Amino acid sequence: MILLALPQSSADGESVGLIDALFMAVSAVCVTGLAVLEPGSDFSYFGQTVILLLVQLGGLGFMIFGVTVAILVGKVMGLKYRLLLQPTTNTFSARGIFRLAMTILLLALALEAVTALILTIHWSGEMGWVEASYASIFHSVMAFNNAGFTLFDNSMEDYLGDPLVNVSLSALFITGGLGFMVLVDLFRKRSLRKLSLHSKLVLVTSGSLLIGGFLFLFMVELFNPATEGLSLTERLLAAYFQSATPRSAGFNTVDIGNMLVASQFFIIVLMFIGASTGGTGGGIKTNTFAIIVLATINTFRSGHQVHAFHRKIALETVMRALAVVVSSLAWIIGTTLLLSITEGLHNVHFLTTLFDVVSGFSTAGLSMGLTEELSPIGKIIMMITMFVGRLGPLTLAYLLTYKQRPSRINYPEDKVLIG
């Protein structure tokens, strides 16, 4: 906040103000991408660099950076710190945690560098080599970390029909959203049958949502008068990109506000599901969504255990997934009600409020226009929502009840009618 509030961070040499600077800092650290100011026109190169570094730190995790620095200076970490790092990388074992941290960092930088090189060559004729290099690095970092900040005032709408920009950016934020453990698992085993249950669930769910989202948006938007001037190629690219970006990326190649209501609501659902555990995106996570679906199907079938790919899923995992979904819905409902009150004087449509709230909570970064018009109290509410969404509802619950002792009382079982 302090750095972004400096006059040197502003494009016109005047401070952007503490509230707006804090909002941009929170959005960057939480890798959300929601903005009350335009990074490309309202911030100087210094301010844009601050945002870029905050996104990189927020995406890869402060603890991974701390471990990397500790390794480089030769400091030896004990078991206590290895166990502390374990939840950050979402690994199942504390063994080899430091090697994993280095692998994550090198993998992230390598993917960002390759994409930046491709975009630099592609944009060099349009912007020149220097501007193209800068824009490519900025957007590659944003894409991998699933943050939706761009240097262009209309996001990626000017590149709606550009296959290279669409594919390269989407491939990067899909990869970042899969989760580091899935990427490492794929690299080490190189066989779908040998992958862990977690990796299989993530890949199948992510692929299903991507394909299903593409088909739904393509078919529905055929009836949208706003898309009449688009060619078939542009329609296909638009449907593909808008089905991938709600999974916490934040870029858009069409104006979300001009899409049909059915498409906007469907994007809300995709944003709520989000990316995968251990990745750079937000939401309840694809693996959580998969477990809830499997548990529901199992209940309809009157099964005794939840399973997938011939593996049993522990009841504790199912209850954890349920807690994540319920607490997330509770926060979204409460925040939507609050913003409906604080921003109600501006005659904001309910769907617009719900859209931006889900986007903030899921750190997606897409907006239908509410965020830019938020009142000071509305900005504070949205900042808290982004922080809670990034930290995770269940993590907050564990933090508040960490020192409580488990109950030693076992109550008699009884039945309650459902439905």
Side-chain angles (χ1 to χ4, degrees):
M1 179 193 72
I2 293 173
L3 289 174
L4 291 178
L6 293 174
Q8 292 86 346
S9 294
S10 175
D12 58 8
E14 297 182 3
S15 175
V16 299
L18 292 179
I19 291 294
D20 288 347
L22 178 60
F23 190 98
M24 296 298 290
V26 172
S27 184
V29 171
C30 295
V31 292
T32 303
L34 287 177
V36 292
L37 298 170
E38 292 292 342
S41 56
D42 293 327
F43 287 96
S44 63
Y45 287 119
F46 175 77
Q48 293 166 4
T49 303
V50 171
I51 292 175
L52 184 146
L53 293 176
L54 288 176
V55 168
Q56 191 76 294
L57 286 168
L60 297 181
F62 288 103
M63 300 181 74
I64 294 179
F65 269 90
V67 165
T68 303
V69 172
I71 293 174
L72 294 178
V73 299
K75 183 177 180 180
V76 179
M77 292 289 189
L79 179 61
K80 174 183 176 181
Y81 295 98
R82 292 173 185 259
L83 293 175
L84 186 63
L85 180 65
Q86 184 177 338
T88 302
T89 53
N90 291 282
T91 54
F92 301 104
S93 173
R95 296 180 60 185
I97 194 72
F98 291 106
R99 182 181 299 175
L100 175 63
M102 287 297 294
T103 302
I104 290 172
L105 180 61
L106 294 176
L107 176 64
L109 294 178
L111 291 173
E112 290 171 356
V114 171
T115 306
L117 178 61
I118 294 173
L119 291 177
T120 298
I121 297 172
H122 184 65
W123 282 340
S124 60
E126 174 185 346
M127 307 177 185
W129 285 101
V130 176
E131 284 296 324
S133 299
Y134 178 74
S136 300
I137 293 172
F138 186 91
H139 291 98
S140 295
V141 172
M142 297 302 132
F144 183 80
N145 291 287
N146 278 239
F149 293 115
T150 73
L151 298 177
F152 313 123
D153 291 340
N154 58 352
S155 190
M156 292 293 169
E157 292 181 27
D158 291 339
Y159 300 98
L160 168 61
D162 192 324
L164 183 63
V165 173
N166 279 258
V167 173
S168 59
L169 287 180
S170 62
L172 195 55
F173 62 67
I174 289 173
T175 302
L178 286 177
F180 300 114
M181 289 307 301
V182 175
L183 299 179
V184 173
D185 202 19
L186 282 170
F187 177 76
R188 290 177 176 175
K189 297 180 180 177
R190 302 180 184 182
S191 173
L192 294 178
R193 290 192 299 178
K194 296 180 180 179
L195 294 177
S196 65
L197 176 60
H198 170 78
S199 297
K200 290 179 180 179
L201 282 177
V202 166
L203 292 173
V204 170
T205 307
S206 298
S208 301
L209 290 172
L210 184 61
I211 296 173
F214 165 75
L215 294 175
F216 180 88
L217 292 177
F218 179 77
M219 295 301 296
V220 170
E221 288 299 312
L222 286 174
F223 304 97
N224 189 349
T227 63
E228 287 181 355
L230 300 181
S231 65
L232 178 60
T233 301
E234 289 175 332
R235 288 177 181 273
L236 291 171
L237 287 174
Y240 160 72
F241 199 87
Q242 266 58 235
S243 67
T245 193
R247 310 281 303 293
S248 210
F251 298 118
N252 58 280
T253 55
V254 297
D255 187 350
I256 303 296
N258 289 334
M259 299 180 74
L260 296 179
V261 173
S263 299
Q264 294 168 346
F265 186 76
F266 185 74
I267 289 176
I268 290 176
V269 175
L270 292 179
M271 289 192 300
F272 180 71
I273 297 172
S276 305
T277 300
T280 54
I284 63 169
K285 305 298 188 295
T286 54
N287 38 305
T288 303
F289 173 72
I291 289 173
I292 291 296
V293 171
L294 289 172
T296 303
I297 294 174
N298 180 72
T299 302
F300 288 150
R301 292 179 176 177
S302 299
H304 299 290
Q305 63 181 18
V306 181
H307 59 88
F309 299 102
H310 307 291
R311 292 292 184 272
K312 177 183 176 181
I313 298 175
L315 179 61
E316 178 186 355
T317 303
V318 177
M319 298 305 295
R320 182 186 178 95
L322 180 63
V324 168
V325 173
V326 172
S327 57
S328 299
L329 285 173
W331 187 276
I332 288 172
I333 292 171
T335 305
T336 303
L337 288 174
L338 280 177
L339 287 182
S340 297
I341 296 172
T342 62
E343 313 304 313
L345 297 177
H346 303 291
N347 296 320
V348 179
H349 195 274
F350 169 75
L351 187 64
T352 301
T353 305
L354 178 63
F355 190 100
D356 280 38
V357 168
V358 175
S359 178
F361 181 85
S362 302
T363 68
L366 296 174
S367 176
M368 287 180 59
L370 173 66
T371 302
E372 297 177 356
E373 306 297 330
L374 285 174
S375 63
I377 185 64
K379 292 176 183 177
I380 293 174
I381 293 173
M382 188 63 80
M383 282 188 282
I384 296 173
T385 298
M386 290 188 292
F387 185 79
V388 171
R390 180 60 174 163
L391 189 61
L394 195 62
T395 306
L396 277 179
Y398 282 167
L399 181 64
L400 296 175
T401 60
Y402 182 72
K403 295 184 179 180
Q404 294 183 2
R405 295 181 179 180
S407 175
R408 298 181 179 179
I409 301 175
N410 290 322
Y411 295 97
E413 183 177 314
D414 207 338
K415 296 185 180 296
V416 177
L417 298 178
I418 300 296

